[in-house]
Amino acid sequence: MGGPGSFVKFENLHELKRLFHWGPIIALSVITICSIMAVIDSVLWYWPLDTAGGSLNFIMLINWTVMILYNYFNAMFVGPGYVPPGWKPVNSEDATYLQYCKICQSYKAPRSHHCRKCNRCVLKMDHHCPWINNCCGHHNHASFTLFLFLAPLGCMHAAFIFIMTMYTQLYNRVSFGWSSVKIDMSFAKRDPRPIIPFGLSAFATSLFALGLALGTTIAVGMLFIIQLKVILRNKTSIESWIEEKAKDRIQYYQTGETFIFPYDLGGKWNNFKQVFTWSGNPEGDGIAWPVREGCHRYSLTMEQLKQKADKRVRSVRYRATEDYSGACCPVTKGIKTFFTTPCTEEPRIDLQKGELILATRGLKHWMYGDRIFEDGTPKVGDRIRGWFPRRCVGKCSQDCESEQTHKEVKKTR
């Protein structure tokens, strides 16, 4: 998968399997439908060869499609970049500040995270995006964000085409059996004879494409705003979450610490240039990162280690009291469990009565945790974790005692 400045090349073609996933299939279908219908509809009311405006309109439609697909495929096939197998810091003493990934058998470089979908440690991981069936990270963050920026613009242009097409066709073409629609179209000086036959099916298709275009504009536009906010702060979505958890940890234990995010360079333009450059290559190698003055280069990873230790303290051991098949929406575990299933691609784990689970977080009717063996630890590389219904487990007695001890310790802090 591509390094800095990579683009879709022949050697990336083995990654075409990424296309065979519901995310890219839906995304590319929406792009295809909106683009084709916009081109077809545009010639009905603004024939490109008649005027300079018609030619510009047609060229812009093609331009949107090309730029959207270019950035989309770059984000998908170039990929985010991964921590090299077996990587460890040059200075062995720095390893104490880093987490070790048992699956990748290497240390996690600063700002990297292990993706369960890709099964690799991803450089500057933002999130795993199902729409590109790949992670958004260091090497493809710019392409992914440009895709989010261009898609709403192209959809707004297409939506205008669809609205004007239906508007003019209702006046000049057909009434579909209704009373003739009388709309003043004196400003549209054109030959009323249809260039392409336009009937009820074409009207319905244009209306459907209009719905897709407007929906995409709203949904993808909101995602772009979210991405732009984190980029201007030189963060990722995961790092924003880590920062929030740092505040919660400090408040919970009343430690008096002050956590300062180390990678915010102090200016939106400086942060922006970390992702978007004239060369197209993101700043840095994805391993070493500049930090703001007064911050330790490993302050974020040290905070992650503190949160991981705190997570172990707060984790509670449960024992399965009934079997669970691992179904996403189990119909036999109650109506509330069925309708409150977590809206996430995170896995579910099947349970058999008597198995031990170490729960790390939970919702009202669901819990998330790791399956553990009787000795208390999972085997290396065999970590099994996911969501399961809360009603299928019961808290172990020894954890009830440890939880009470933990509360007493907290009071003495």
Side-chain angles (χ1 to χ4, degrees), residues 313-355:
V313 172
R314 297 200 202 187
S315 299
V316 180
R317 184 176 299 192
Y318 287 81
R319 188 177 293 276
T321 56
E322 57 182 279
D323 294 344
Y324 165 56
S325 65
C328 180
C329 300
V331 295
T332 61
K333 302 302 179 184
I335 296 177
K336 292 181 179 179
T337 300
F338 178 83
F339 285 106
T340 59
T341 183
C343 298
T344 173
E345 281 199 332
E346 290 177 314
R348 276 63 170 169
I349 56 174
D350 60 288
L351 299 177
Q352 293 183 355
K353 189 175 180 178
E355 287 184 330

Side-chain angles (χ1 to χ4, degrees), residues 285-392:
D285 58 1
I287 301 291
W289 299 93
V291 297
R292 64 189 303 169
E293 187 176 352
C295 288
H296 193 282
R297 60 181 298 195
Y298 292 117
S299 60
L300 183 66
T301 58
M302 288 189 289
E303 173 58 33
Q304 289 177 265
L305 290 173
K306 291 178 182 179
Q307 292 181 11
K308 192 171 184 179
D310 181 49
K311 184 179 179 180
R312 287 194 295 267
V313 172
R314 297 200 202 187
S315 299
V316 180
R317 184 176 299 192
Y318 287 81
R319 188 177 293 276
T321 56
E322 57 182 279
D323 294 344
Y324 165 56
S325 65
C328 180
C329 300
V331 295
T332 61
K333 302 302 179 184
I335 296 177
K336 292 181 179 179
T337 300
F338 178 83
F339 285 106
T340 59
T341 183
C343 298
T344 173
E345 281 199 332
E346 290 177 314
R348 276 63 170 169
I349 56 174
D350 60 288
L351 299 177
Q352 293 183 355
K353 189 175 180 178
E355 287 184 330
L356 291 174
I357 302 293
L358 188 66
T360 55
R361 52 191 165 104
L363 302 172
K364 186 175 182 180
H365 300 289
W366 287 83
M367 301 188 75
Y368 186 90
D370 296 75
R371 179 183 295 158
I372 57 178
F373 298 92
E374 291 295 340
D375 62 359
T377 57
K379 296 179 182 178
V380 176
D382 289 345
R383 188 176 186 183
I384 302 174
R385 57 180 175 174
W387 290 95
F388 54 90
R390 187 182 286 269
R391 60 169 285 175
C392 294

Side-chain angles (χ1 to χ4, degrees), residues 89-132:
V90 177
N91 187 349
S92 59
E93 295 179 355
D94 291 342
T96 58
Y97 303 126
L98 300 172
Q99 298 183 75
Y100 186 79
C101 181
K102 295 180 179 179
I103 298 176
C104 297
Q105 295 292 299
S106 65
Y107 286 93
K108 294 182 181 179
R111 312 190 78 176
S112 68
H113 301 274
H114 186 86
C115 175
R116 290 188 297 273
K117 294 288 185 180
C118 299
N119 203 33
R120 295 284 299 276
C121 284
V122 177
L123 296 174
K124 195 190 173 188
M125 179 178 173
D126 186 88
H127 68 288
H128 184 92
C129 179
W131 304 112
I132 62 173

Side-chain angles (χ1 to χ4, degrees), residues 208-246:
F208 175 70
L210 175 62
L212 289 179
L214 294 177
T216 301
T217 300
I218 296 172
V220 179
M222 292 175 64
L223 290 175
F224 169 72
I225 293 173
I226 293 172
Q227 283 296 308
L228 186 61
K229 284 183 178 179
V230 296
I231 288 174
L232 293 178
R233 297 169 185 166
N234 201 15
K235 297 179 183 178
T236 64
S237 299
I238 293 177
E239 288 167 351
S240 296
W241 185 38
I242 292 173
E243 187 177 30
E244 288 301 316
K245 289 197 296 182

